[in-house]
Amino acid sequence: MIRKFCVMLALILVSGTVLAQGQMVVGTLGTQTLDFTEYFEQQDGTFDGIRVTEEWPLYGGEYHNFQVREKMYLGASFEIGEGTAEFCVEAGCVEEDLNTWTVTGSIGRYAGSVLPFISISASTIEIDQDEAAAEILDLNTIADRGNVEWDVDLGMWMGSPDRKFRITLDRLLSDNDVHRTVSLGTFFSVMNEYVGGIEFSYPISTESGEESVRLAFSFGMSF
């Protein structure tokens, strides 16, 4: 399913770039942290919590075409990362490696001076754990990890050709508050042909006691 999604996205992007103007390609380097608590029922019927903290550096790339045809916008991005997941209870903490990736496709249309868009993403976070340890305590199951998750983002581009701003409501279909964030980003011209950018995100809900922080820097070119 992931392979078909990527192939379809590539075909759409290629077919729309014949007469395209206002394109941008950037590479991304950043970091992301998730901090939340998972509760489980013990044998005596009471509930206890495991504190989960996940951190990873992220690497990726983005492609944006702001003038495909008749005010249409198309975008695509990917991210990969390798980091750590720490599980803590009163007795102590256990730390394991994790791997993550995300593929996203976006489409939008200008409405006056702003550009609303919708994005569809596929992503996964998987905790590296040997089979013997997983039989005793499966950390992927505890943290609800290992499965491919599809989600939807809603956003808007603003600004001029030399400086663009983006605001996005991320992971709106997720059941976990730590995933639903608001992201603010800007891309600006550097020496005409080149582009720099920065993005920051934080949870939409401030009452859950869970936290998700993302900071990313980008550099690329426009053409």
Side-chain angles (χ1 to χ4, degrees), residues 71-139:
K71 299 184 177 181
M72 293 294 296
Y73 158 78
L74 289 175
S77 67
F78 74 93
E79 291 180 359
I80 57 175
E82 296 182 356
T84 59
E86 185 178 65
F87 296 77
C88 293
V89 294
E90 292 184 0
C93 298
V94 175
E95 186 175 289
E96 298 285 352
D97 296 331
L98 64 79
N99 299 290
T100 176
W101 59 261
T102 301
V103 178
T104 304
S106 305
I107 185 169
R109 182 179 177 86
Y110 281 94
S113 60
V114 298
L115 174 56
F117 67 90
I118 183 172
S119 301
I120 298 176
S121 64
S123 63
T124 188
I125 299 175
E126 186 170 6
I127 299 165
D128 291 336
Q129 192 177 11
D130 59 57
E131 295 182 2
E135 290 180 358
I136 300 173
L137 187 65
D138 190 342
L139 299 179

Side-chain angles (χ1 to χ4, degrees), residues 44-80:
D44 59 3
T46 61
F47 286 84
D48 198 359
I50 293 181
R51 187 79 174 186
V52 183
T53 301
E54 300 172 342
E55 299 181 359
W56 64 87
L58 56 90
Y59 314 89
E62 301 179 31
Y63 168 77
H64 304 282
N65 189 331
F66 295 96
Q67 294 288 346
V68 180
R69 56 168 65 91
E70 296 182 0
K71 299 184 177 181
M72 293 294 296
Y73 158 78
L74 289 175
S77 67
F78 74 93
E79 291 180 359
I80 57 175

Side-chain angles (χ1 to χ4, degrees), residues 5-199:
F5 174 77
C6 295
V7 171
M8 291 177 61
L9 180 61
L11 290 175
I12 291 173
L13 292 173
V14 172
S15 66
T17 58
V18 178
L19 300 176
Q21 297 178 355
Q23 299 178 68
M24 180 169 65
V25 176
V26 297
T28 301
L29 173 64
T31 182
Q32 183 157 339
T33 300
L34 304 180
D35 193 349
F36 57 98
T37 301
E38 286 289 339
Y39 292 93
F40 63 96
E41 185 174 4
Q42 302 182 96
Q43 293 182 352
D44 59 3
T46 61
F47 286 84
D48 198 359
I50 293 181
R51 187 79 174 186
V52 183
T53 301
E54 300 172 342
E55 299 181 359
W56 64 87
L58 56 90
Y59 314 89
E62 301 179 31
Y63 168 77
H64 304 282
N65 189 331
F66 295 96
Q67 294 288 346
V68 180
R69 56 168 65 91
E70 296 182 0
K71 299 184 177 181
M72 293 294 296
Y73 158 78
L74 289 175
S77 67
F78 74 93
E79 291 180 359
I80 57 175
E82 296 182 356
T84 59
E86 185 178 65
F87 296 77
C88 293
V89 294
E90 292 184 0
C93 298
V94 175
E95 186 175 289
E96 298 285 352
D97 296 331
L98 64 79
N99 299 290
T100 176
W101 59 261
T102 301
V103 178
T104 304
S106 305
I107 185 169
R109 182 179 177 86
Y110 281 94
S113 60
V114 298
L115 174 56
F117 67 90
I118 183 172
S119 301
I120 298 176
S121 64
S123 63
T124 188
I125 299 175
E126 186 170 6
I127 299 165
D128 291 336
Q129 192 177 11
D130 59 57
E131 295 182 2
E135 290 180 358
I136 300 173
L137 187 65
D138 190 342
L139 299 179
N140 279 294
T141 300
I142 291 175
D144 192 21
R145 298 305 189 211
N147 299 318
V148 176
E149 296 185 4
W150 292 84
D151 223 308
V152 172
D153 308 333
L154 295 178
M156 182 177 298
W157 287 95
M158 299 164 284
S160 65
D162 292 334
R163 181 178 292 273
K164 295 185 181 295
F165 299 92
R166 180 175 63 188
I167 180 171
T168 313
L169 300 178
D170 309 304
R171 306 292 296 272
L172 296 180
L173 301 183
S174 177
D175 294 330
N176 195 332
D177 288 345
V178 76
H179 288 153
R180 293 196 296 272
T181 61
V182 56
S183 297
L184 301 174
T186 180
F187 291 90
F188 47 88
S189 177
V190 180
M191 296 183 296
N192 295 327
E193 296 181 354
Y194 300 99
V195 176
I198 184 172
E199 181 181 4

